Amino acid sequence: MEFLLGNPFSTPVGQRIDRATSGSLESEDWGLNMEICDIINETDEGPRDAVKAIKKRIVGNKNFREIMLALTVLETCVKNCGHRFHVLVASQEFVEGVLVRSILPKYNPPTALHDRVLSLIQVYLCRCSHTSVTRASSCRRPHQSKYLISSPSQ
């Protein structure tokens, strides 16, 4: 029934993302992260369901540990999944609505989270540059990207 109501953690990949991003984990579960990648790569609904679950874990979450674990899952998926996943996470909606939004000053993100998000955006510029949404001409010139955001002053 939860699936019909739109709970992104009720799908097979969503359940694993929920476990892989639990704030009670002592460290990343790399085996689980790779299992998530396998589901994304092997199922039709995997990429879409994974993006929904990652978005749900990040947006509006005040537990920065869970957000950091979600970013680790996201980075693992970007590096190990194919074009169907890249198109979704390199979209302007995801980059601005999830990643950039998570580091807005009103959320008072820790510097480590801010730096991690900026690093992920840079990874997108290099790995997902084949998508129509990415705004950089090459990963060697990120200063031309609309999404490059300076680090907070220390």
Side-chain angles (χ1 to χ4, degrees), residues 35-69:
E35 189 177 334
I36 291 165
C37 293
D38 290 342
I39 293 171
I40 291 169
N41 289 327
E42 295 170 1
T43 63
D44 290 337
E45 62 282 345
R48 179 183 46 84
D49 290 345
V51 168
K52 285 181 180 179
I54 291 168
K55 178 179 178 179
K56 177 76 171 177
R57 183 58 80 202
I58 294 173
V59 174
N61 193 342
K62 294 185 182 356
N63 183 329
F64 293 119
R65 171 106 177 102
E66 289 182 357
I67 295 172
M68 291 295 278
L69 289 168

Side-chain angles (χ1 to χ4, degrees), residues 35-123:
E35 189 177 334
I36 291 165
C37 293
D38 290 342
I39 293 171
I40 291 169
N41 289 327
E42 295 170 1
T43 63
D44 290 337
E45 62 282 345
R48 179 183 46 84
D49 290 345
V51 168
K52 285 181 180 179
I54 291 168
K55 178 179 178 179
K56 177 76 171 177
R57 183 58 80 202
I58 294 173
V59 174
N61 193 342
K62 294 185 182 356
N63 183 329
F64 293 119
R65 171 106 177 102
E66 289 182 357
I67 295 172
M68 291 295 278
L69 289 168
L71 294 175
T72 297
V73 169
L74 178 60
E75 182 177 14
T76 304
C77 293
V78 166
K79 291 180 177 179
N80 292 284
C81 296
H83 179 74
R84 295 180 311 133
F85 184 78
H86 291 169
V87 168
L88 296 173
V89 298
S91 70
Q92 183 174 357
E93 177 185 352
F94 188 83
V95 172
E96 291 180 357
V98 177
L99 297 178
V100 173
R101 182 177 171 190
S102 72
I103 59 172
L104 291 175
K106 71 179 183 179
Y107 297 116
N108 196 25
T111 302
L113 175 61
H114 191 276
D115 292 347
R116 183 75 185 278
V117 168
L118 296 180
S119 174
L120 276 174
I121 292 171
Q122 181 66 34
V123 167

